């Protein structure tokens, strides 16, 4: 199964899409599922009152690693910030990591 991870243009949220059809057929590479937002847990360093991507960043610029052959988990690396006023409006960002066995339920350390 092929997946595509993207960040939304609004609210900077990670979305996961799946390829629809046989990947050996070139024409199928333009057909993707409608996708779903990945529910990354909020923590004190990546959550605040207000609107994501306006007042804080919860899980922007996500990168997905498949480590199931090693330990049975997918790992999601992402950046977050609990404010977007310092550093030219980017906030003091931190790198986060979450893991999942099914790409639906995520847990953080």
């Amino acid at each position: 199964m092929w997946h595509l991870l993207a960040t939304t243009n609004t609210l900077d949220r990670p979305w996961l899409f799946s390829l629809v059809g046989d990947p050996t057929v070139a024409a199928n590479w333009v057909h993707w599922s409608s996708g779903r937002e990945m529910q990354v847990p909020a923590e004190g360093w990546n959550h605040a009152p207000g609107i994501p991507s306006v007042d804080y960043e919860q899980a922007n610029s996500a990168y997905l690693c498949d480590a199931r052959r090693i330990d049975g988990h997918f790992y999601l690396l992402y950046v977050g910030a609990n404010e977007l006023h310092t550093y030219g409006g980017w906030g003091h960002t931190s790198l986060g990591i979450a893991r999942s066995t099914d790409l639906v339920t995520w847990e953080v350390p």
Side-chain angles (χ1 to χ4, degrees):
M1 169 76 61
W2 284 86
H3 296 285
L4 172 69
L5 177 62
T7 302
T8 59
N9 286 336
T10 50
L11 307 181
D12 295 336
R13 303 296 299 153
W15 275 69
L16 189 65
F17 303 87
S18 299
L19 183 68
V20 176
D22 182 351
T24 63
V25 177
N28 286 343
W29 283 90
V30 296
H31 301 288
W32 294 87
S33 68
S34 57
R36 61 182 164 73
E37 182 178 341
M38 298 177 81
Q39 301 297 319
V40 178
E43 300 179 82
W45 61 271
N46 69 344
H47 191 266
I51 302 168
S53 84
V54 174
D55 299 304
Y56 67 94
E57 289 287 1
Q58 186 176 349
N60 197 353
S61 304
Y63 176 77
L64 184 63
C65 299
D66 185 352
R68 288 176 296 169
R69 286 190 279 174
I70 299 168
D71 68 359
H73 289 92
F74 293 95
Y75 287 87
L76 188 72
L77 287 87
Y78 54 92
V79 296
N82 60 8
E83 56 83 19
L84 295 178
H85 306 289
T86 60
Y87 299 100
W90 292 98
H92 186 264
T93 60
S94 296
L95 181 63
I97 188 166
R99 71 180 188 170
S100 172
T101 57
D102 60 7
L103 295 173
V104 176
T105 303
W106 293 92
E107 59 184 22
V108 295

